[in-house]
Amino acid sequence: MKFTKVAVLLAVFALATVPMFGQLTATGTSQIKVVRTEWISFSVTTALPTLTIPANSLTSNSDNVVVQTAWNLGPSHSTGVQVCVSAAGALAGTGSNTDTIPVNEIFVTPKTGSPTALGSGTACGVAGAVAYTSYDTTTAAGRKNPTGTSENIPVYVDLGSYANDVAVDTYTGTLNLVAYAN
Amino acid sequence: MLATLHIDWWMVLVAFLLVAPLLHAQRNLTVSVTSPLATLTAAGNSSDLQSMTVTSTWGGSGGFFNFGNVATCVSISSPLTGTNGNPDTIPQANIMVTATTIGTASIAGPGGCGSPIGLQVDTTGEWFLFAGSRTVTMQFQAINTGNLAADTYTGTINILVATD
């Protein structure tokens, strides 16, 4: 009898306790957000060589300043990347030479278009800058260029619109180059 | 003997009626995000680390009989996606989770909590008997982000808490 009672009790306990060993689960969610920050880099890989205005000429040879632009931009920058050139000021001679080569006698030949004098316009948001080229960033692929793109920017001096010839000398100034994502 | 057994059956029946409701009483297990995950920022090939805290609670009227471990698992069901047609994504394997009991591992781990995907980040480590709670803090980091297009990538972390 004792065996029977124990067996019955065990059976009842087993039946009664089945649910307590069942698995319980609970779920939740949380948003995960990762922001890949945007960047743009720009460098002058080859400086502009010296330009020479030959005798009996008002126009120098054209030579290139070489720049490299790379970028990774977000969707808000879908209006393009521009590369622009401006001059910090007139080119100054040496010693007591007071002659200068004005900014508007320095020309850049855009990648598509005619030679354009510096000193007017506001390309790249810079007063007096000329846009050399622009890159399409309307697509996701266009907004990412991590390896970069190199450009040879032709620059020359033309004194043709300048009323006076300049003294024989070496004239020096600074070109400002900028990559710009609006 | 039969009479005795007959009485014993009634005793058993009474005992069953008293005990069964208690044993069958509704148990409950809940989980909530008590400290949400902040935005991860990736400036290079990996993001910074951000923390998320989840708290599990269990009990109910049958809490006394809640035998078993409580495991906490996390998973992400699909890659994190960008915006405006950006084809880049962050696969689950590139989301790393750091927690005390596991160290650092990909969220696309070997499974846990009965799910084939996801990562078990914590277990109570001992059977629990009464109502209680457990708080788990884990850190998240995105890796291999160097070639991603600049954008905001979004996804959903699934949190699963389960008893044995």
Side-chain angles (χ1 to χ4, degrees):
Chain A
M1 185 182 73
K2 286 184 178 177
F3 175 78
T4 304
K5 288 166 66 177
V6 170
V8 169
L9 284 171
L10 286 174
V12 169
F13 184 77
L15 286 173
T17 57
V18 165
M20 78 183 187
F21 293 111
Q23 187 183 46
L24 287 177
T25 61
T27 60
T29 61
S30 176
Q31 186 181 62
I32 179 171
K33 188 181 292 186
V34 180
V35 172
R36 178 69 174 98
T37 55
E38 53 189 359
W39 56 268
I40 185 168
S41 72
F42 186 71
S43 62
V44 177
T45 53
T46 304
L48 181 66
T50 299
L51 304 174
T52 302
I53 302 173
N56 303 317
S57 176
L58 294 176
T59 305
S60 76
N61 64 305
S62 178
D63 214 332
N64 299 326
V65 55
V66 183
V67 298
Q68 174 91 3
T69 310
W71 61 88
N72 188 357
L73 301 173
S76 63
H77 289 115
S78 59
T79 56
V81 169
Q82 282 186 308
V83 173
C84 303
V85 183
S86 66
L91 309 184
T94 62
S96 59
N97 178 11
T98 57
D99 287 349
T100 60
I101 297 178
V103 168
N104 62 1
E105 305 297 337
I106 305 169
F107 287 79
V108 166
T109 305
K111 196 166 187 176
T112 56
S114 304
T116 305
L118 302 183
S120 62
T122 57
C124 293
V126 177
V130 169
Y132 168 72
T133 191
S134 64
Y135 307 102
D136 182 9
T137 59
T138 54
T139 65
R143 288 192 292 273
K144 187 170 69 170
N145 180 17
T147 56
T149 301
S150 182
E151 300 288 358
N152 300 323
I153 303 176
V155 178
Y156 68 94
V157 170
D158 184 353
L159 301 176
S161 63
Y162 189 40
N164 300 310
D165 196 358
V166 293
V168 174
D169 202 352
T170 298
Y171 294 83
T172 306
T174 300
L175 291 179
N176 295 318
L177 298 120
V178 60
Y180 177 77
N182 190 12
Chain B
M1 178 179 134
L2 286 173
T4 305
L5 186 60
H6 179 75
I7 294 171
D8 287 342
W9 271 108
W10 277 106
M11 291 174 61
V12 170
L13 182 59
V14 169
F16 179 82
L17 291 174
L18 290 174
V19 173
L22 181 61
L23 297 177
H24 284 270
Q26 186 172 5
R27 300 173 300 150
N28 61 63
L29 175 66
T30 63
V31 63
S32 62
V33 178
T34 46
S35 178
L37 183 65
T39 299
L40 283 69
T41 301
N45 203 40
S46 61
S47 77
D48 57 357
L49 284 81
Q50 296 292 345
S51 295
M52 179 178 76
T53 300
V54 300
T55 299
S56 308
T57 59
W58 54 84
S61 55
F64 180 81
F65 297 98
N66 287 326
F67 298 118
N69 294 306
V70 174
T72 302
C73 298
V74 290
S75 67
I76 298 177
S77 52
S78 57
L80 279 64
T81 56
T83 63
N84 297 321
N86 175 7
D88 289 353
T89 61
I90 301 178
Q92 296 97 313
N94 287 351
I95 300 297
M96 307 301 290
V97 182
T98 300
T100 302
T101 56
I102 63 164
T104 300
S106 168
I107 199 169
C113 301
S115 171
I117 61 171
L119 179 67
Q120 182 170 323
V121 294
D122 183 70
T123 181
T124 50
E126 58 183 287
W127 285 35
F128 62 89
L129 295 176
F130 301 98
S133 67
R134 186 167 179 90
T135 297
V136 180
T137 297
M138 59 203 97
Q139 288 187 309
F140 288 80
Q141 182 182 36
I143 62 171
N144 299 326
T145 55
N147 291 323
L148 287 174
D151 203 351
T152 298
Y153 297 82
T154 307
T156 300
I157 298 171
N158 303 308
I159 303 151
L160 176 62
V161 177
T163 61
D164 289 334

